Amino acid sequence: MATLLHIDSSLFPGEASASRAVTEAFRQAWQEQHPSGTVIYRDLAVNPVPHITAAAHTAGFADPATHTAEQAADFAGRVRLIEELERADAVLIGAPMYNYTIPSTLKAWLDNVILFGRTMGETPSAKGTPVTVVASRGGSYAPGTPRESYEYVQNYLTAVLADGLALDLDFIVPELTMAPHNPAMTELVPLFEASRDRALQEAATKAKALAERLAA
């Protein structure tokens, strides 16, 4: 049965998080198709991975036989994260926009799993693995909007996940999530609700389709 690597990075728990609500809908639909499958779950807000250290970074470019004790210990943590990615048949990432970009906890995970000569380079080890990113945001940064040029989530993750790691990338984008909480955005609440409902439906539909494709 297929393995799903599910990563959440929102600071907020449960339904208080727009991205978590959508990743949960995706995961539920996935598990309905794969009740005996495996889900590897990482909640980076609750259990953040260590920011990459100098020892872990330099170890990636050195012969393991030459590693110091510190390099060996720190690099082992990177390898565990890389192996989770490599084992996954599909990846699901909750990536809310904080201050125009991804949470630092998600950046730390990426810094650990990006390893030239293994996950990145001429033959990326997870090449072609489908990855669905739920890129929620409080406003709208869509093409044609006033803040289009401030969109550093999809642009960055496309560069890293698709261009760098050679994953098969797809986005679900719930937007205007601050509308119910910001009086200045009250008139945008219907647009937020439509975006939320569309994202939840996309998550369920895409998870089911992906599960069926991998099972074929």
Side-chain angles (χ1 to χ4, degrees):
M1 298 299 289
T3 296
L4 175 68
L5 173 59
H6 175 186
I7 296 169
D8 277 325
S9 61
S10 172
L11 294 173
F12 302 102
E15 294 183 359
S17 163
S19 64
R20 287 180 188 272
V22 178
T23 60
E24 180 61 23
F26 186 106
R27 177 173 171 169
Q28 286 182 6
W30 172 276
Q31 289 182 306
E32 287 173 4
Q33 297 297 312
H34 291 294
S36 300
T38 300
V39 176
I40 302 170
Y41 182 58
R42 283 194 172 272
D43 187 333
L44 299 179
V46 176
N47 294 300
V49 302
H51 285 280
I52 193 167
T53 64
H57 175 73
T58 56
F61 297 95
D63 183 340
T66 68
H67 286 179
T68 65
E70 182 183 15
Q71 283 179 316
D74 288 3
F75 191 63
R78 289 187 71 185
V79 170
R80 281 192 293 273
L81 297 174
I82 289 169
E83 289 177 343
E84 288 180 353
L85 174 62
E86 292 172 338
R87 286 201 308 271
D89 297 291
V91 181
L92 171 65
I93 299 175
M97 179 185 282
Y98 293 158
N99 300 316
Y100 305 121
T101 189
I102 62 173
S104 63
T105 51
L106 181 54
K107 179 61 163 59
W109 179 82
L110 287 167
D111 286 341
N112 277 281
V113 300
I114 294 170
L115 179 59
F116 286 92
R118 182 164 177 174
T119 60
M120 185 178 284
E122 292 186 6
T123 56
S125 56
K127 182 178 180 178
T129 302
V131 53
T132 303
V133 175
V134 178
S136 61
R137 59 277 313 274
S140 180
Y141 301 80
T145 62
R147 293 200 172 189
E148 176 184 356
S149 63
Y150 291 87
E151 209 302 306
Y152 301 116
V153 172
Q154 289 176 267
N155 291 341
Y156 170 70
L157 291 178
T158 296
V160 173
L161 299 175
D163 300 340
L165 300 182
L167 305 180
D168 182 8
L169 176 62
D170 188 26
F171 284 104
I172 299 173
V173 185
E175 61 180 12
L176 301 169
T177 62
M178 285 299 297
H181 313 288
N182 183 348
M185 298 175 68
T186 298
E187 64 181 19
L188 299 176
V189 168
L191 292 177
F192 152 71
E193 292 174 341
S195 177
R196 176 198 59 198
D197 294 346
R198 183 169 58 250
L200 291 169
Q201 183 59 52
E202 278 187 57
T205 301
K206 290 182 177 185
K208 182 179 179 181
L210 179 57
E212 290 175 346
R213 189 180 95 194
L214 291 174

